[in-house]
Amino acid sequence: MTETSVLPEVQEFVSRQHQLYIDGQWVEPVGQDRLNIFDPATGKCIGSVPDASPADVDRAVTSAHRAFKSGAWSALSPCARERVLLRLADLVERDTEILAQLETLEQGKSLILSRILESGGAQNWIRYVAGLSTKVTGQSLDVSIPLPPGARYTSFTRKTPVGVVAGIVPWNFPLVIAVWKVLPALAAGCCVVAKPAETTPLTLLYLAHLATEAGVPDGVFNVITGSGSVAGDALVRHPDIAKVSFTGSTPVGKHIAEICASRLARVSLELGGKNPAIVLADADVEQVVSGLALAGFLNQGQVCAACSRVYIEAPLFDKVAAGLQAALSSMRIGPGFDETAQINPLASAAHQRKVKGYLQTAIDNGAEILWGQEVPEGDGYYVRPAIVLNPDDSLPLVREEVFGPVMTLTRVENVEEALSRANDCRFGLAASVWTSSLSHAMDLPPRLEAGTVWVNSHVMIDPNLPFGGMKESGIGKDFGTEWLDAFTETKAICIRH
Ligand code: TAP
């Protein structure tokens, strides 16, 4: 095993006495409570951040509200906003290795993945979103208003920023999802208070340092660290929050939706998934095996769009199962800083317990399981990856989001059986179809109940491809040009002349 050394800048940042980022300043929280951060590869405490109280949340929202009302950001020209955000992307690029290492230290994922999808992905998404600043457009509308007789009207719509946005971030991709929650709001002219997950706050705090350097005005972007049940809840309930942009689990998303409904605050919810793949008898087995091994075990399956259920037409079942077993056996397990390891620890001890619990229930029910390599000795949050063969559909790991390195393979007799079992699920985030037939590639995606459907691929996302769930996987879309709609109000203006 050869582990990449942690940069001195990363060590220094991790060990800082972190504060809250409010009104462009680093400020002490009202209380003394702190949240410890653990290295998932060792289980050791590596630092801490403030556990913000409702009073801290109020300070942050008040600062964002004041900045919004002042027009310091929303009244800047679109080009000026775009310039600041592009500068932020350049700074993320400058510090890309620091951000990648911070991510691996606090979240556990492979450093290679952190470089490509977190610090690399953040740059791409920030640049895409920066460009949206100059694409906020309304429409010109012809109207037929009959009164008073002879009156003429010119009508158009304008998109105006919705106000102060709460951006709430999960722990599976802490940096790039923070970018998804914060940056489009800024592009639309809103001000933001962001909250990271309590186990993975470091990269969002680092992004706040870069935002100051990029020239984001004071109060426009604030970060509070703290628990979901106290700081997150106070943020969502704050009367000056006009919009909540949330990525996380379905139960918390439903709870947030109820709070927002009580005062009609706007809300976008990017929630959990239980994403199926349908493998048809005419699929290319090699492509299926390499594609699904990545889609199921990338980031240890802690991916909202991960493929967790595979329905395979009978003639290919044994070949695909054997191929996936071989792929799994070849995946080395080790810490994220060991660049030769493909499977790394899960993000937290609590999550490790949860995933092991799903597997134990499957074992207790006699499920047939193909295992990956043994996990290393020690206190890291590792879970041995597993493929469960033909599980009973009533097992919790078939019906619920496991969010771990666990995939089920189920033999089906035909396309219709595959479709009906794939759709028999309360989630509807993503799905894939594996086939060499053009007609299946065209016919099946519209019949799958999922916000994104890939053909001969799975889990591939892009800033220009709208992404979001159907059913209990959420409300609203991230990405694409319609992203701006989530952070703007459409105002109709009608001028009589
Ligand atoms: P959650 O437990 O739902 O937590 C997400 C965020 O919400 C965290 O910052 C959490 O803070 C906060 N939170 C918890 N309770 C809250 C409350 N009552 N009010 C306000 N905020 C609250 O999700 P997670 O376990 O971090 O993330 C994994 C989930 O995210 C999975 O279900 C996954 O599918 C989903 N996800 C979805 C997508 C998309 S795009 N659909 C992308 C990534 C992840 P604490 O950390 O302090 O609890």
Side-chain angles (χ1 to χ4, degrees), residues 168-172 195 198 228 232 246-249 270-272 304 401:
I168 301 184
V169 184
W171 49 256
N172 63 329
K195 190 198 95 61
E198 60 188 80
F246 173 79
T247 296
S249 63
E270 296 293 340
L271 308 178
C304 57
E401 184 184 40

Side-chain angles (χ1 to χ4, degrees), residues 35 168-173 177 180-181 195-199 226-236 246-253 255-256 259 269-273 302-305 351 354 401 403 429 467-469 473 478-479:
L35 295 167
I168 301 184
V169 184
W171 49 256
N172 63 329
F173 285 96
I177 296 182
W180 300 348
K181 301 296 92 181
K195 190 198 95 61
E198 60 188 80
T199 50
S227 73
S229 54
V230 176
D233 201 69
L235 183 58
V236 172
F246 173 79
T247 296
S249 63
T250 295
V252 175
H255 173 71
I256 287 175
I259 297 170
L269 303 170
E270 296 293 340
L271 308 178
Q302 301 166 119
V303 180
C304 57
H351 191 52
K354 184 177 154 194
E401 184 184 40
F403 220 52
L429 188 60
F467 187 77
S473 288
D478 278 355
F479 314 168

Side-chain angles (χ1 to χ4, degrees), residues 42-100:
T42 60
K44 291 206 172 77
C45 177
I46 52 172
S48 72
V49 293
D51 187 3
S53 64
D56 296 310
V57 171
D58 183 56
R59 255 196 313 174
V61 178
T62 302
S63 121
H65 194 244
R66 195 170 45 238
F68 183 69
K69 289 287 177 194
S70 76
W73 182 248
S74 59
L76 276 187
S77 75
C79 273
R81 283 206 304 270
E82 181 184 51
R83 224 175 6 252
V84 172
L85 300 184
L86 286 174
R87 213 176 293 139
L88 179 60
D90 289 344
L91 295 174
V92 171
E93 185 171 1
R94 181 195 69 191
D95 291 353
T96 191
E97 182 64 13
I98 296 175
L99 281 160

